[in-house]
């Protein structure tokens, strides 16, 4: 018997971003975390809705890594201008 694991449907846009990002996912009970290049967590919030707008205007320009965790995990890069 094999059980297929479901992928998290997930997107972060715009990328690159300047002031606000939109996090769109099929999760309603996940966690979104954003890390700078040194591995320091700079943002963390619960995903409660399919679409969430997040203010990133206070973050310095650069490359950040995001992680979404819930039933499964998804990682990616976000560029802030």
């Amino acid at each position: 018997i094999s059980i297929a694991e479901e992928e998290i449907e997930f997107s972060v846009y715009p990328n690159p971003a300047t002031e606000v990002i939109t996090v769109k996912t099929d999760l309603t009970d996940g966690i979104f975390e954003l890390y700078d290049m040194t591995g320091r967590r700079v943002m963390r919030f619960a995903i409660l809705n399919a679409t969430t707008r997040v203010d990133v205007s206070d973050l310095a320009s650069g490359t950040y890594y995001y992680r979404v965790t819930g039933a499964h995990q998804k990682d990616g890069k976000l560029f802030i201008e």
Side-chain angles (χ1 to χ4, degrees):
I1 298 174
S2 68
I3 299 173
E5 288 191 31
E6 293 182 32
E7 284 268 333
I8 296 173
E9 292 294 326
F10 183 79
S11 61
V12 175
Y13 58 88
N15 193 3
T18 53
E19 294 184 11
V20 175
I21 59 171
T22 299
V23 178
K24 190 170 184 175
T25 181
D26 59 355
L27 288 176
T28 56
D29 62 349
I31 299 292
F32 179 91
E33 296 175 304
L34 193 62
Y35 297 88
D36 66 15
M37 291 298 292
T38 67
R40 181 177 60 98
R41 187 173 66 200
V42 296
M43 184 177 293
R44 181 180 195 271
F45 62 87
I47 298 170
L48 303 174
N49 300 305
T51 302
T52 305
R53 293 175 50 84
V54 181
D55 183 357
V56 293
S57 62
D58 289 340
L59 298 177
S61 296
T63 303
Y64 293 82
Y65 291 95
Y66 63 79
R67 172 168 287 160
V68 177
T69 53
H72 303 283
Q73 180 174 305
K74 184 113 176 173
D75 300 327
K77 281 186 192 175
L78 175 67
F79 301 98
I80 306 289
E81 294 184 331

